[in-house]
Amino acid sequence: MSTTGTLEYTPKDYKSDLKPIWCPGCGDFSVVQGIYRALAAIGRPPHEIAFVSGIGCSSRIPGYTTAYGFNSVHGRALPIAQGIKLANPDLLVLAAGGDGDGFSIGGGHIAHLIRRNMDITYIVMDNQIYGLTKGQLSPTSQKGRVTCTSRFGSLENPVNPLLYVLAYGAGFVAQASPTDLAGMAAVIEEAIRYPGFAFVNIQSPCVTYGEEGQQIKGLKAISESLAGLGHNPADRLAAMDLAQHYGEKMHLGVFYRNPEPPPTYGDLVKERQALLSKDALPKERILDLFIKK
Amino acid sequence: MAIRGIDFTTLSLKDALDLAILVEEEAQERYEEFAAQMDQHRTPDAAKFFRYMVENEAKHGRELSSRRVQLFGDAPRSVSRTMIYDIEAPDYDAARAFMSPRRAMEAALASEVKAHGFFEAALPAIKDAEVHALFAELRDEEVLHQNLVKGELAKLPPDSAVSDEDFVDEPAPQ
Ligand SMILES: Cc1ncc(C[n+]2csc(CCOP(=O)(O)OP(=O)(O)O)c2C)c(N)n1
Ligand code: SF4
Ligand SMILES: [Mg+2]
């Protein structure tokens, strides 16, 4: 059972003793601060939170929180988070990782969590590069980008993470960046509160392998607040229209929040369990199911 | 540098003092983070300078806090950290692996200039005379802080021809 609201938490309560080994100046330092603040605002005790990541610089993030964490396998944060949520629906489940983790090797999983409407918040630290493995092309790298795996410039168009999740029908889609930490904490909090699959893309600069224009100064120059533009987050088509500008403009805030969230997969499982439980076998006779009558 | 939900035209002296305290607190925390990052990456000289900045920001924060207590006691705060961002704190990406003390000082100097700009830009909108005087004082203090950092910069021996960028690994496929 959740003990939300019985105690007051501060961001420091979610900070672990482990010292981040990210490069100084890495955008991920701000993301972990945003997460501490959002979790404090939610107020769930750390032991009621499961935080799952894949592999990458960004995927080290669960270790820097006091939540239960699993720095798992490259690209597999989402299926693992999903299993945890189904096994223990009372947990607040967060998943996080990089653009490579989420949209290359793990790209196939996102659609399924969205169509099931798993009640999980997924945070992608998008730095348009493979940081941990030292600067290779990532699925969100811009066309023409020169890296050690694209010496003459990339020939590929980038994946648009915002359109990707909107097109599959995600109920909550937002974007944030270290240019506005309070705004970042607010959208993470809102994503956690959304009952269903929630996606937050965070432009988190890689100071070691990222390009100049993708650092904080460059991001500031192309930032625009969605609220300031008068965007209505209940309007999915308007959200898709704005999301098309990924890579040229950085829209910050909530692109889309389904005003009538459908039931989550967990809700439907509970319903099904209630329906079938009256005819279910007691635990000690469960193996009888496999015996031919 | 960003603010949210602050109306300078109606800002009270208590709220203005509280904001100034929060600005110092934010800067202090950011320098603490930077010092820890430098420790982690075995860059003791830059860490030492960032700790010096932690002390400075803490001292300014204490001075402002005691004025606040004198004037308003423990009257509840009505402004919060979510209303300000990166006013005097250096940007997150101002730290770098193996940064030289010179580069660390330049990052601090840039944030003092940024803070000066914040108070300067706010002044024309402020109607209350006491708040105006406080913000003008805080703006002028930022010049003193800049001089403090410039003093530290002047103590440094001339930079070597080697830049700290030279120590960053070349990307290599793995
Ligand atoms: C199955 C598998 N394939 C490849 C790798 C190598 N690998 C580790 S992290 C990574 C990509 C990291 O990029 P991203 O997910 O964007 O995270 P970042 O480091 O940029 O935060 C790769 C390819 C791996 N660990 N496991
Ligand atoms: S390589 Fe890039 S993404 Fe990884 S820790 Fe360093 S700055 Fe951050
Ligand atoms: Mg990446």
Side-chain angles (χ1 to χ4, degrees):
Chain A
M1 274 302 279
S2 153
T3 51
T4 305
T6 53
L7 282 169
E8 278 209 2
Y9 288 91
T10 68
K12 287 201 171 75
D13 294 315
Y14 299 93
K15 184 175 188 292
S16 76
D17 292 335
L18 205 61
K19 297 262 181 285
I21 58 156
W22 291 313
C23 307
C26 177
D28 296 350
F29 278 105
S30 71
V31 181
V32 75
Q33 292 293 338
I35 291 174
Y36 297 148
R37 288 194 193 186
L39 290 175
I42 299 280
R44 291 277 300 261
H47 72 268
E48 290 181 6
I49 303 166
F51 196 173
V52 188
S53 64
I55 294 289
C57 297
S58 43
S59 288
R60 304 186 66 87
I61 206 161
Y64 305 138
T65 75
T66 48
Y68 280 107
F70 188 3
N71 185 180
S72 73
V73 184
H74 194 35
R76 307 296 173 237
L78 287 180
I80 293 166
Q82 173 175 258
I84 292 172
K85 185 70 187 174
L86 284 175
N88 190 348
D90 286 334
L91 290 177
L92 187 172
V93 181
L94 299 176
D99 41 318
D101 198 76
F103 289 95
S104 256
I105 191 166
H109 295 300
I110 301 176
H112 304 291
L113 270 83
I114 292 176
R115 72 191 177 89
R116 291 176 191 136
N117 195 27
M118 295 300 305
D119 190 7
I120 286 171
T121 296
Y122 183 36
I123 298 165
V124 166
M125 280 154 271
D126 183 4
N127 55 11
Q128 290 93 23
I129 200 83
Y130 282 4
L132 185 76
T133 45
K134 296 183 145 202
Q136 299 84 357
L137 210 60
S138 99
T140 57
S141 302
Q142 272 162 344
K143 195 171 185 172
R145 174 84 195 263
V146 175
T147 70
C148 57
T149 49
S150 55
R151 283 287 181 207
F152 304 102
S154 161
L155 298 171
E156 300 160 14
N157 283 313
V159 165
N160 180 328
L162 301 163
L163 271 183
Y164 191 111
V165 296
L166 280 165
Y168 276 121
F172 184 96
V173 180
Q175 186 161 249
S177 98
T179 57
D180 177 8
L181 187 60
M184 184 199 293
V187 294
I188 296 173
E189 180 191 343
E190 228 187 297
I192 295 172
R193 291 193 194 280
Y194 179 79
F197 186 82
F199 174 77
V200 185
N201 199 58
I202 304 187
Q203 293 294 330
S204 177
C206 169
V207 293
T208 304
Y209 303 110
E211 294 200 316
E212 205 48 45
Q214 292 159 343
Q215 306 306 317
I216 290 185
K217 203 168 155 216
L219 293 180
K220 276 182 185 162
I222 56 164
S223 289
E224 243 174 9
S225 139
L226 287 168
L229 288 175
H231 170 60
N232 170 13
D235 186 341
R236 184 158 169 259
L237 290 180
M240 291 181 96
D241 206 17
L242 286 161
Q244 293 190 66
H245 301 288
Y246 170 85
E248 306 151 21
K249 281 196 184 132
M250 193 178 57
H251 290 121
L252 299 175
V254 180
F255 279 86
Y256 181 60
R257 185 192 316 99
N258 188 338
E260 288 167 32
T264 65
Y265 193 80
D267 295 335
L268 297 176
V269 166
K270 251 189 219 156
E271 247 175 53
R272 183 67 56 86
Q273 278 172 336
L275 192 74
L276 300 180
S277 60
K278 53 184 185 309
D279 300 324
L281 289 174
K283 251 190 209 153
E284 56 280 8
R285 285 189 48 217
I286 207 94
L287 290 179
D288 292 1
L289 282 173
F290 303 96
I291 298 170
K292 258 193 187 162
K293 297 261 162 67
Chain B
M1 185 162 73
I3 53 164
R4 179 178 280 115
I6 302 173
D7 182 356
F8 290 116
T9 58
T10 56
L11 197 66
S12 69
L13 184 61
K14 175 171 82 67
D15 289 352
L17 265 170
D18 282 339
L19 275 179
I21 295 165
L22 293 173
V23 165
E24 300 295 340
E25 190 181 288
E26 186 194 40
Q28 180 188 337
E29 283 175 18
R30 188 69 48 80
Y31 285 121
E32 273 165 4
E33 270 194 67
F34 279 13
Q37 292 177 21
M38 294 304 130
D39 287 344
Q40 195 65 21
H41 289 263
R42 295 175 186 81
T43 314
D45 293 340
K48 193 172 152 205
F49 172 72
F50 285 137
R51 294 227 154 77
Y52 166 78
M53 290 307 291
V54 169
E55 286 307 311
N56 280 335
E57 303 300 350
K59 189 170 145 255
H60 306 146
R62 278 194 302 272
E63 285 161 8
L64 289 163
S65 295
S66 66
R67 263 166 87 177
R68 199 273 190 202
V69 171
Q70 262 173 13
L71 290 171
F72 303 104
D74 57 1
R77 242 184 203 176
S78 45
V79 291
S80 69
R81 274 285 285 277
T82 56
M83 294 174 156
I84 53 146
Y85 184 53
D86 272 2
I87 307 296
E88 196 171 344
D91 284 351
Y92 262 99
D93 63 0
R96 280 293 185 285
F98 316 118
M99 73 199 298
S100 63
R102 181 176 300 278
R103 205 141 165 215
M105 289 173 195
E106 283 165 357
L109 187 58
S111 26
E112 299 297 344
V113 171
K114 186 169 68 166
H116 181 273
F118 167 75
F119 292 116
E120 173 83 357
L123 277 171
I126 298 173
K127 300 261 184 332
D128 183 288
E130 284 180 304
V131 177
H132 196 279
L134 174 71
F135 266 49
E137 178 194 324
L138 293 168
R139 176 202 56 190
D140 296 343
E141 270 179 18
E142 295 306 337
V143 178
L144 300 178
H145 300 175
Q146 288 170 29
N147 291 339
L148 204 74
V149 181
K150 281 180 188 159
E152 292 300 310
L153 269 165
K155 286 185 213 160
L156 288 176
D159 238 356
S160 77
V162 186
S163 139
D164 32 287
E165 290 289 341
D166 297 334
F167 294 98
V168 176
D169 287 352
E170 266 294 291
Q174 287 195 348

